[in-house]
Each structure stands twice: as structure tokens, then as C-alpha cells.
Amino acid sequence: ERERERERERETASAPALTREESNRVSRRLKKMSHERLAGANVELPSSSLLCNANKMIISREHIDSLRAKFESLPNKTPDNQEILLELEDNQQQPKEPSSTNGGAGGELVVEVAQLVIKSGAKNALSGRMMSQLTERLDQLESWAMANNSSNTGEGRRLARCLLIRGHGGTFCSGSDLITARHTTTNQLAGWELAQLMQYNLRRLAQLPLISVAFIEGYALGGGAELALAADMRLMSGEARLGFVHAKNGICCGWSGGFRLVQLAGRARALELMSSARLIGHQEAQQFGLCEQRADSLDEALKFVRGHAIESERTSAAVKLLVEETSSGSSSAELALQLECKLFAATWGKEAHLRALDRNSKHYSSSSSK
């Protein structure tokens, strides 16, 4: 670790001058990124190193597990069979479509899609037990995503993995269920702990080293809208409605959705949507930068997410961190460009890059160039 710190100091010495705050910030981000996402196999930081809220408080996994135990003990509507399902695809027989922009030529790219499915009788509202279960599902997803290290799947095929998040039974998610809400309004500490647990979960979802897409059918309301915004991209059906309805319930966003809404839609639009608590369809959501396109079936959603899968989890992590850091507006141009340079170097000459060079990969066909 000390050798890595000294190496960073040598790199920083040759870079443009940064303020102490900027230098500390980039060091923290690069340390987190290099250990958790871009390091070699079997190199990980302890799970206690996750950044969870706007105050940059480090929340340990031990603390999160204690919160999970509290929320699991809350009453549940057991007949509703509330659960978070994780369906991991093993589909090595179907290559990515040749027309996809990131598949390239010189070998078929097999895409596996994991589906995170929210299932609850109460319009897919999240119970305390489901919030705790989401942490377990994210553990599984991280392991599944990071296992994507093999050079091929046999017969010259390569592997890419991605995630689709959806609701069961034609609706996405309506936020926290009423039983959980009523049992956590006894004091402000309970609200704080609920926000901590869900910010932890949604932060981890956003940082998964694979592309994630939320497929919104029916309603995504309150916490459900916040969950949708934690995905990298969103699709909405023609009948779907997205709403930040918190203000009608006397509260504001607490699961990190307010922060992401401002990032995606801008300050004025975020204020308008949160203060009015109105529901918007796919057309407005696209105008506001909250939705990529309309999709009216699961097949359409799966086709979309497959088309955006990236072969290497290292490359996925680098692309996502680059976009996040640049779009947040918190970095100076110099700092953002320095990070881009380091991310480029972190992926240069690695497995996915070398395989692409070996394939002499082309990104166009002779017909498309005419």
C-alpha cells in the first residue's frame, strides 16, 4: 500500500498543480476504484470502505448488517411472498447481434443478462425484509460481475455481462411499503437508518462493474423512482409512469434519488418534479434525460441491455467512473482530464484490449462505409 501511495505521489508531481482538496479527492477515488474495480483478480478492499452519503461518511458493512437485522424483524405481509429475485442467465449459445456497436468483428460475443426482479403483492413495494435482501442480491451480483475474467467461453466466443432491473407482474416499484413506513416513523433515527441502508444499496447498485438498465412498466413511484435512477439507463413502456411523489407524503427523497435527479434533469426540472409530485410518461422522461427510449416488452428491454454490454468488467468500471465523475460537476476540467488519462492507462494493454488487438477488431462493415 505504501508503494502504491509513493507511486501516486510521483505521478502527481509530474501532473498540473492541483489544490490539496483536489489531490486528496482524486487519490481517494483512484484508490477505491483501483482496489474494488480495476485491480487484478482476488484483490479487494474490505467491504467497510463504501462511501454512502453526501457527508462522505464511511459506513462499515458491520453497521449495515446491524441495520438489516432491524428491518428484517419488522412485520411483513407474509402471504404476499415479498422477495427480491435474482435470475442469472447462462446463455452461451446466443452471440450478441452483429449490428451491436461494441461487439466488434473477429469472434462472437456472448452476452449474459442478470435480472433483478422486485416481487411484492403491494404494487411491488419494498418491505424491510426486501431491503435487507437487496444487500444480499448485490453481493451475488458483484461476485457474478467480477467473475467475468475468462478470455473466452470456448469456440472463439467471448463473454460480456449486464443487468436488467424490473418489477414482477407489470409494475416496477412503488417505494417503501406502508407497514415498513409505519413502523419506522417512531423517531427520526429510524428514518436516518432507513436512508442509510437504502443509500448503501443503491450506491452499490450504481457502482456495479457492468451496465445496468431499469425497465419501468406500470409505476415507479417514490423510492421506486429512486431505485430506477440508480441504474445506468432506463427504459419505459408506453403506459409507464415515473413520479417523485415524496412531497405529497410530507417527506423528500432519502435514498439518493434527489441527488441523481438533479444530476440527470438539472436543478430547475428536479425542483419542479419534486414539488409538483406529478407523474410523467416516457416522452417527458426522455426530454428530461431520465429515460433512454420506449420499450413495451421484456424482449425489447433485453435486446436493449444486450446491445450495451461491455466485455470486460474493468472497462465497464472505467467507463462508468469516467461518466460519473465528469457529469457530477464537482471536478475541475484539469482533474477530470487527469482522471480520464489514468482510467485510459488502467485499461490499456489489459486482457480485453489485447484480445481486441488480436482480433484486428473493426467497427464498421464495407457496406456501411459506402
Side-chain angles (χ1 to χ4, degrees):
E1 182 63 30
R2 285 194 295 271
E3 283 296 324
R4 282 192 288 268
E5 290 293 342
R6 283 195 287 269
E7 180 63 25
R8 292 191 192 100
E9 290 173 2
R10 287 193 291 271
E11 292 174 357
T12 304
S14 61
L18 301 174
T19 66
R20 180 180 297 274
E21 181 180 355
E22 287 176 326
S23 296
N24 290 340
R25 187 167 183 271
V26 75
S27 294
R28 288 194 300 270
R29 293 302 300 272
L30 287 172
K31 179 179 179 181
K32 176 182 175 58
M33 177 194 67
S34 62
H35 278 282
E36 293 185 347
R37 297 291 181 261
L38 299 177
N42 302 320
V43 179
E44 296 182 24
L45 274 181
S47 57
S48 63
S49 63
L50 192 63
L51 191 63
C52 287
N53 60 38
N55 292 325
K56 298 187 176 181
M57 179 180 292
I58 302 299
I59 300 181
S60 69
R61 180 57 185 261
E62 182 181 7
H63 174 64
I64 290 298
D65 285 341
S66 71
L67 297 183
R68 292 175 59 208
K70 287 184 181 181
F71 286 103
E72 285 177 354
S73 67
L74 295 177
N76 290 291
K77 285 186 177 181
T78 50
D80 284 342
N81 192 25
Q82 298 172 323
E83 57 184 332
I84 303 288
L85 302 173
L86 180 59
E87 302 173 1
L88 298 177
E89 185 178 50
D90 183 9
N91 190 14
Q92 297 187 5
Q93 301 306 312
Q94 294 188 14
K96 177 179 272 190
E97 297 186 17
S99 60
S100 174
T101 57
N102 58 344
E108 294 174 322
L109 181 59
V110 178
V111 178
E112 293 181 354
V113 182
Q115 295 188 47
L116 192 67
V117 185
I118 306 155
K119 182 180 179 183
S120 170
K123 295 183 180 179
N124 290 334
L126 297 175
S127 66
R129 187 174 71 88
M130 293 172 72
M131 295 177 192
S132 172
Q133 195 175 48
L134 180 57
T135 309
E136 294 179 15
R137 297 294 178 255
L138 290 166
D139 290 340
Q140 293 174 276
L141 275 168
E142 283 187 346
S143 298
W144 183 73
M146 296 302 291
N148 182 19
N149 286 315
S150 60
S151 60
N152 60 70
T153 62
E155 300 180 359
R157 297 187 174 196
R158 296 165 290 118
L159 178 64
R161 286 175 168 167
C162 51
L163 172 65
L164 184 72
I165 308 161
R166 63 180 179 89
H168 178 267
T171 195
F172 186 72
C173 177
S174 56
S176 175
D177 76 355
L178 290 178
I179 293 179
T180 300
R182 286 167 181 157
H183 280 83
T184 53
T185 54
T186 53
N187 54 62
Q188 289 182 328
L189 177 60
W192 170 260
E193 291 176 338
L194 175 61
Q196 277 190 320
L197 176 58
M198 288 306 295
Q199 282 195 15
Y200 175 90
N201 283 337
L202 298 192
R203 182 72 173 179
R204 286 183 66 195
L205 173 60
Q207 291 180 337
L208 286 172
L210 45 70
I211 297 299
S212 62
V213 176
F215 176 37
I216 303 173
E217 297 177 286
Y219 292 96
L221 305 178
E226 296 189 69
L227 172 60
L229 261 58
D232 297 318
M233 291 177 274
R234 284 147 296 282
L235 304 173
M236 293 178 67
S237 69
E239 302 301 319
R241 293 295 180 268
L242 178 71
F244 292 84
V245 298
H246 307 70
K248 281 191 174 180
N249 295 321
I251 57 174
C252 68
C253 296
W255 298 357
S256 71
F259 169 76
R260 291 192 173 94
L261 181 59
V262 173
Q263 276 192 310
L264 291 168
R267 178 186 178 279
R269 182 59 64 188
L271 185 59
E272 186 271 322
L273 290 175
M274 286 192 281
S275 61
S276 68
R278 67 186 182 92
L279 309 186
I280 61 173
H282 69 93
Q283 291 181 326
E284 277 193 293
Q286 283 182 263
Q287 293 172 10
F288 303 157
L290 304 177
C291 171
E292 273 54 55
Q293 66 182 52
R294 175 175 173 172
D296 288 314
S297 69
L298 179 58
D299 286 343
E300 288 183 56
L302 288 170
K303 182 178 180 180
F304 179 90
V305 69
R306 288 180 190 278
H308 291 81
I310 298 176
E311 178 183 348
S312 162
E313 82 288 341
R314 182 190 301 267
T315 307
S316 294
V319 168
K320 291 176 63 167
L321 182 57
L322 175 61
V323 172
E324 178 189 352
E325 188 68 22
T326 305
S327 62
S328 67
S330 59
S331 297
S332 66
E334 278 189 356
L335 185 59
L337 290 172
Q338 183 183 11
L339 177 61
E340 183 170 338
C341 182
K342 292 188 176 183
L343 289 171
F344 176 78
T347 55
W348 185 266
K350 297 301 181 181
E351 295 86 351
H353 184 209
L354 294 177
R355 289 196 295 268
L357 293 176
D358 288 341
R359 296 192 307 272
N360 191 25
S361 182
K362 295 181 175 62
H363 308 289
Y364 57 88
S365 64
S366 57
S367 60
S368 65
S369 62
K370 293 180 181 178

